Amino acid sequence: MNKYLSLGFLLFFPWLVFAQSFESQEFERLINAPDDTTKVNQLLALVRKYVGDSLELSEQLAGEALRAAEKAGDEMSLVKAYKAKGTIINYRGGVEEAIECYDQALAICADRPEFKWEKISILLNIGVVYFYAGDDGKSLEYYIEAESLCNEPSTEDLRAKIFNNMAVIYRKLNRFEDAARIYQKSLKIKSNNKDSLGMATTLNNIG
């Protein structure tokens, strides 16, 4: 079988019309997925793989993941699909539309314990959206809310990222003492987690 799918074959599958560079094995796994939840996970993996090559393709894949999640009735898959779509839309500059996707995911998460990690991650993402949109105050608001939920060992990696992003804003606002204090919190968590790459990034930010 050819390594790459031909456009003619893909025309039978409109939602993959842009995926001319898909490897045949990837496509076979999709069409032979045993259930929609598995298909969602496979599609989201492809979103991550191709985001650097084509935002158009990645957004299309995220949309298909969302449809598969809706068909499966799997709420965790829905949350992940909404989050992926929101992230891709934000990459192409669709701030309001990205926030809408994230809000859809947050509505599912609510205060349910099993969705806590995803909720924190989404709040962090919204903070990033507002930061790059130039709204530092709104960005900090979401970072602070996200950090307030990080009260379990499983959320420490997210807390380190949140602290790092908060410190970036404080430094931007010339609140250098606050920035240094928050950077140190991030550094401590990364050190405890033996995250050498994360430590290097934070140390570079500290200067």
Side-chain angles (χ1 to χ4, degrees), residues 2-118:
N2 292 336
K3 181 179 180 183
Y4 296 104
L5 295 170
S6 69
L7 178 59
F9 184 66
L10 285 171
L11 288 176
F12 290 99
F13 301 89
W15 55 272
L16 286 178
V17 71
F18 297 105
Q20 297 177 52
S21 61
F22 271 11
E23 294 184 4
S24 296
Q25 289 181 341
E26 293 173 336
F27 190 76
E28 287 173 4
R29 283 196 294 270
L30 276 176
I31 62 176
N32 294 318
D35 52 64
D36 287 302
T37 298
T38 301
K39 182 180 289 186
V40 172
N41 291 331
Q42 292 174 350
L43 285 163
L44 292 179
L46 290 173
V47 170
R48 292 188 291 271
K49 178 176 180 178
Y50 289 102
V51 66
D53 297 323
S54 172
L55 289 180
E56 184 179 18
L57 171 59
S58 294
E59 185 175 349
Q60 191 174 26
L61 289 167
E64 183 62 22
L66 184 55
R67 285 187 285 274
E70 290 171 341
K71 183 179 178 182
D74 183 338
E75 290 185 308
M76 182 60 78
S77 293
L78 272 171
V79 167
K80 291 179 179 179
Y82 273 123
K83 184 170 73 169
K85 187 173 181 180
T87 299
I88 299 303
I89 290 171
N90 181 51
Y91 285 163
R92 65 165 173 75
V95 173
E96 292 184 3
E97 192 178 351
I99 296 296
E100 288 178 5
C101 286
Y102 288 140
D103 282 344
Q104 292 275 11
L106 287 177
I108 298 171
C109 293
D111 294 322
R112 298 157 69 181
E114 66 270 29
F115 288 92
K116 175 178 277 191
W117 195 96
E118 291 295 339

